[in-house]
Amino acid sequence: MTNDLRSAEPVARSGVFELAGEQPVRRLGFGAMRLTGKGIWGEPGDPEQARQVLRRAVELGVTLIDTADSYGPEVSERLIAEALHPYPEELVIATKAGLCRTGPDQWVPNGRPAYLVQQCELSLRRLGVDTIDLFQLHRIDRDVPMAEQLGALHQLREAGKIRHIGLSEVDAEQLAAAREHVDVASVQNRYNLADREHEPVLEVCEAAGIGFIPWFPVATGDLAQPGGALDEVARRHDATPAQVALSWLLHHSPVVLPIPGTSQVAHLEENCAAATIELSEREVAELAVAGEQVRPGYLQRG
């Protein structure tokens, strides 16, 4: 399985989700955070390889690429434009604003309306588009009223600068409050087989038809160790544990849109092949139970 893509566009096997009920994307996407330097800071060691990864992702059928102004900062968005502009008609590029960078691995929330508007304009310029398909508030800034942050995004949408609004790292209460102000097309939270803290948020998204974009989607804890539940299922499907972890997300809920990221073409191809794995209902349930018993280490951004 690992070296067999099984089709020219394996990602097509992941199915389709319509953002806001109108914008179709294939459910297995690509996260472009790792196309930058160490600490998500500066240029990658091999910029051309980063561009090759992006082009290969589209060849494999990816129609959702997730990035942010803070990745680099600016580097990820610029590489996407260099590699893929003019964009295929079906490609949706989602970006985010609301985190300032002060150095490698440093992230500071900034939800001031003027800042969010400024960053949207800069993202439009870097990506080379007139409208951003999905513009996500990277974090809710606790020092700025939520209504003001979302009001800025609403104004951008009214002006035609963005098409849909998304949120990142919110709980169910925050999501409910945000929906009082704007239509929410997506939520991007840390979520994977071994970390389902945000299951209540996923349940709200599923009921409301909101896309749920899990970042850090392939964390597996001890499940991937020899003899572990994930390892056993992977062996049955001639797959890697990471592939099965991604497949589990796709089977777990129809609104889940995993965005595994990488800076290597071979790893990208392996991730995309996960869309071709067909898990049984029993395997999905067994993995869910096993996942509740482990807790991996976490990244603190997405």
Side-chain angles (χ1 to χ4, degrees):
M1 168 74 194
T2 304
N3 297 314
D4 177 11
L5 296 181
R6 294 190 177 176
S7 73
E9 291 190 350
V11 174
R13 296 274 296 277
S14 67
V16 173
F17 178 81
E18 292 188 346
L19 289 168
E22 64 178 34
Q23 191 158 26
V25 293
R26 286 173 175 166
R27 291 181 56 214
L28 185 61
F30 175 75
M33 183 176 74
R34 294 293 173 187
L35 298 182
T36 63
K38 185 177 181 180
I40 323 302
W41 184 262
E43 300 291 333
D46 188 342
E48 180 52 32
Q49 179 174 254
R51 289 187 284 267
Q52 289 175 2
V53 167
L54 288 160
R55 289 190 287 263
R56 184 62 176 145
V58 172
E59 290 174 353
L60 294 172
V62 167
T63 63
L64 173 63
I65 294 179
D66 178 82
T67 185
D69 63 354
S70 56
Y71 297 165
E74 305 179 6
V75 173
S76 177
E77 290 182 331
R78 177 172 48 75
L79 287 169
I80 289 170
E82 290 174 356
L84 300 174
H85 194 278
Y87 305 112
E89 183 178 353
E90 67 276 11
L91 183 63
V92 170
I93 297 175
T95 193
K96 298 182 284 293
L99 288 178
C100 292
R101 302 300 307 281
T102 55
D105 290 319
Q106 297 180 29
W107 312 76
V108 181
N110 186 345
R112 291 183 294 108
Y115 178 76
L116 296 176
V117 171
Q118 168 189 286
Q119 294 308 104
C120 178
E121 294 287 355
L122 292 173
S123 290
L124 286 165
R125 186 183 308 171
R126 282 190 293 269
L127 291 169
V129 295
D130 296 322
T131 303
I132 293 170
D133 292 318
L134 177 61
F135 192 70
Q136 304 158 93
L137 183 59
H138 211 155
R139 292 292 186 276
I140 293 177
D141 186 344
R142 298 183 182 277
D143 294 329
V144 179
M146 180 190 290
E148 294 183 12
Q149 298 173 70
L150 297 176
L153 271 57
H154 175 73
Q155 291 176 5
L156 288 167
R157 184 178 180 184
E158 290 294 298
K161 303 289 186 179
I162 65 178
R163 183 163 292 115
H164 301 300
I165 294 170
L167 303 174
S168 180
E169 283 302 289
V170 294
D171 59 28
E173 183 177 344
Q174 290 171 322
L175 175 56
R179 294 178 69 198
E180 294 291 324
H181 299 283
V182 296
D183 293 328
V184 177
S186 68
V187 171
Q188 184 170 158
N189 281 12
R190 188 188 64 211
Y191 185 90
N192 52 64
L193 175 60
D195 172 19
R196 303 207 294 280
E197 174 187 351
H198 293 294
E199 193 75 34
V201 179
L202 173 55
E203 291 173 357
V204 172
C205 289
E206 188 169 321
I210 295 170
F212 185 88
I213 305 173
W215 64 270
F216 203 21
V218 295
T220 57
D222 293 333
L223 298 176
Q225 296 299 317
L230 196 56
D231 175 63
E232 292 182 1
V233 175
R235 289 176 182 275
R236 280 182 227 145
H237 291 269
D238 189 22
T240 68
Q243 287 174 321
V244 173
L246 287 170
S247 180
W248 181 85
L249 286 170
L250 292 169
H251 284 77
H252 183 54
S253 169
V255 304
V256 169
L257 313 172
I259 50 167
T262 179
S263 60
Q264 303 293 323
V265 170
H267 189 201
L268 168 73
E269 293 176 343
E270 179 180 295
N271 286 339
C272 288
T276 69
I277 298 173
E278 295 290 342
L279 299 178
S280 69
E281 292 184 6
R282 181 176 179 178
E283 287 173 328
V284 173
E286 289 176 348
L287 288 171
V289 171
E292 293 174 351
Q293 301 172 2
V294 297
R295 186 171 178 83
Y298 300 129
L299 296 176
Q300 296 301 319
R301 58 183 173 276

